[in-house]
Amino acid sequence: MRRNVNEITGSRRMRRNRRFDWSRRLVQENTVTVDDLILPIFLIEGNNKREPIASMPGVERLTVDLAVQAAKEAASLGIPAIATFANIPIEKRDETGSEVLNPDGVINEATRAIKSEVPQMGIITDVALDPFTSHGHDGILRGDTIANDETVELVSKAAVVQAQAGADIIAPSEMMDGRIGAIRDALDDAGFEDVAIMSYAAKYASAFYGPYREAVSTKDLLKGDKKTYYVSPANSDEALHECQLDLEEGADMLIIKPGMPYLDIIRRVKDEFSVPTFAYQVSGEYSMIMAGVEKGFLDEDRAIMESMLAFKRAGCDGVMTYFAPKIAKLLADGWKI
Ligand code: PBG
């Protein structure tokens, strides 16, 4: 006995709400706005120089003066915050990443310059040691181990130096145990109670960081891998455990990194903790989309905006993305899904 469609669906027709542009807009559950965006910026020393990054078409390393211009442009587009990452000369990198403590290092110089010229821009700085070590690891290498407690001491000091330069949010990405509590104490002791901590709480040992390692020139330096301190891509409960500990230690916001391959983690974290939750759409995700675009396989604007909606749908409050200026422009031009 063959039933007609109304008998099968009990007269429900999901397509009714999809018929018109106005009704699709009415039932739309998630939106992307410029307020969701954090722009990562790569910094180099010197003046008036920009360097392309081969594996990240359209992204450049900038000297501080040009980073100020980029921050101005981002602010004029309405982007709320930037996150800075350094590529320092190889001669300045050492076993312990001591350059991270240099108050006049490129990260702190950029914070001061951007704060003075674009005061409305939120500035997020990372304390991980990888751009500063001669071995490319995020922590201090002793033999073949990353020394947890010694690294925590150093990154806590770095957090204070970055706060002194004017950073609004410290985002520690080195995944050492106990770092959030230690950084909170160090900031409070130095009178920076109002500087926030955005923890890379669940940072996975991922292949998708490849292009970033070219961007900060750690690719050829890195000895071994980061499996002893980043979370295994096989695990999900462990990410929740990390988030729970970081919140208990004083994290104000959480980052899940990478983004798109870990939307399930974002959803679980948001459901479990109901705190501000961010994704980092990392370099490899950026480069994958751009490679598809360059080959003519993907529509650039639609692919980028769909990836943003995916983050929002998964529960993100915001996204760190190299596409931030592009997205802001599309939104300003009236982009609709
Ligand atoms: C390390 C760090 C990484 C990224 C930013 N800081 C990962 C790594 O090199 O292991 C990745 C960012 C990206 O891929 O866009 N502290």
Side-chain angles (χ1 to χ4, degrees):
M1 199 242 339
R2 289 188 58 189
R3 297 168 298 165
N4 70 31
V5 169
N6 271 0
E7 283 165 347
I8 290 167
T9 68
S11 304
R12 277 183 299 267
R13 296 217 174 222
M14 294 301 286
R15 292 183 54 193
R16 274 183 209 117
N17 291 346
R18 299 181 194 138
R19 279 179 78 201
F20 306 109
D21 177 66
W22 63 261
S23 61
R24 288 192 293 271
R25 283 192 285 132
L26 271 179
V27 301
Q28 181 164 329
E29 298 173 42
N30 293 286
T31 51
V32 178
T33 83
V34 72
D35 300 330
D36 301 325
L37 301 171
I38 298 169
L39 170 64
I41 294 181
F42 293 111
L43 297 166
I44 45 173
E45 296 180 352
N47 214 12
N48 195 25
K49 273 196 301 184
R50 51 178 80 243
E51 292 174 355
I53 301 159
S55 58
M56 299 182 73
V59 178
E60 295 171 318
R61 304 182 194 98
L62 303 173
T63 51
V64 168
D65 54 323
L66 297 183
V68 170
Q69 294 312 312
K72 275 187 187 158
E73 193 204 329
S76 73
L77 290 165
I79 294 172
I82 59 167
T84 52
F85 296 96
N87 182 326
I88 65 166
I90 302 296
E91 320 78 81
K92 291 196 178 170
R93 305 187 191 201
D94 62 20
E95 282 287 304
T96 61
S98 54
E99 175 69 13
V100 76
L101 294 181
N102 181 358
D104 299 317
V106 73
I107 292 285
N108 300 312
E109 198 194 322
T111 301
R112 279 192 296 272
I114 293 168
K115 269 288 148 196
S116 87
E117 302 229 16
V118 202
Q120 74 272 36
M121 179 59 76
I123 300 185
I124 302 170
T125 53
D126 190 355
V127 287
L129 303 180
D130 57 296
F132 309 106
T133 55
S134 47
H135 44 74
H137 278 290
D138 294 22
I140 297 170
L141 188 61
R142 295 294 180 207
D144 51 11
T145 343
I146 304 299
N148 191 88
D149 301 14
E150 205 182 337
T151 301
V152 168
E153 287 257 343
L154 183 54
V155 299
S156 306
K157 287 189 190 136
V160 172
V161 174
Q162 292 178 354
Q164 280 162 344
D168 300 290
I169 298 180
I170 307 299
S173 81
E174 55 3 278
M175 290 295 283
M176 297 298 112
D177 289 324
R179 76 221 207 269
I180 300 300
I183 290 172
R184 186 69 272 158
D185 288 355
L187 289 172
D188 289 355
D189 283 352
F192 293 109
E193 298 87 356
D194 293 334
V195 170
I197 300 176
M198 182 185 249
S199 170
Y200 288 87
K203 182 169 182 186
Y204 281 88
S206 173
F208 291 95
Y209 306 143
Y212 164 91
R213 292 184 189 167
E214 187 207 326
V216 298
S217 306
T218 56
K219 193 169 132 207
D220 298 330
L221 298 179
L222 186 63
K223 296 193 179 73
D225 57 47
K226 302 190 178 182
K227 288 180 186 167
T228 68
Y229 48 107
Y230 291 177
V231 180
S232 163
N235 298 348
S236 170
D237 289 346
E238 188 181 336
L240 264 71
H241 198 169
E242 282 282 4
C243 290
Q244 182 197 344
L245 293 175
D246 286 5
L247 288 169
E248 283 169 8
E249 290 177 29
D252 300 285
M253 312 179 216
L254 302 174
I255 306 175
I256 310 301
K257 177 179 180 181
M260 284 236 281
Y262 296 89
L263 294 178
D264 58 322
I265 308 299
I266 294 165
R267 169 48 62 196
R268 285 193 73 189
V269 166
K270 190 66 183 175
D271 285 347
E272 185 74 22
F273 302 110
S274 305
V275 299
T277 303
F278 294 81
Y280 195 148
Q281 183 175 45
V282 298
S283 57
E285 300 176 67
Y286 174 89
S287 302
M288 256 191 324
I289 292 178
M290 290 309 288
V293 168
E294 286 187 349
K295 282 201 166 266
F297 297 159
L298 293 175
D299 178 303
E300 181 174 7
D301 297 355
R302 290 182 53 212
I304 293 169
M305 294 308 279
E306 188 174 328
S307 74
M308 282 299 292
L309 271 175
F311 289 123
K312 295 299 296 290
R313 200 185 61 239
C316 281
D317 296 282
V319 182
M320 299 173 81
T321 173
Y322 303 97
F323 290 122
K326 167 108 200 166
I327 294 166
K329 282 179 201 151
L330 286 172
L331 291 167
D333 290 345
W335 172 268
K336 291 276 181 300
I337 189 69

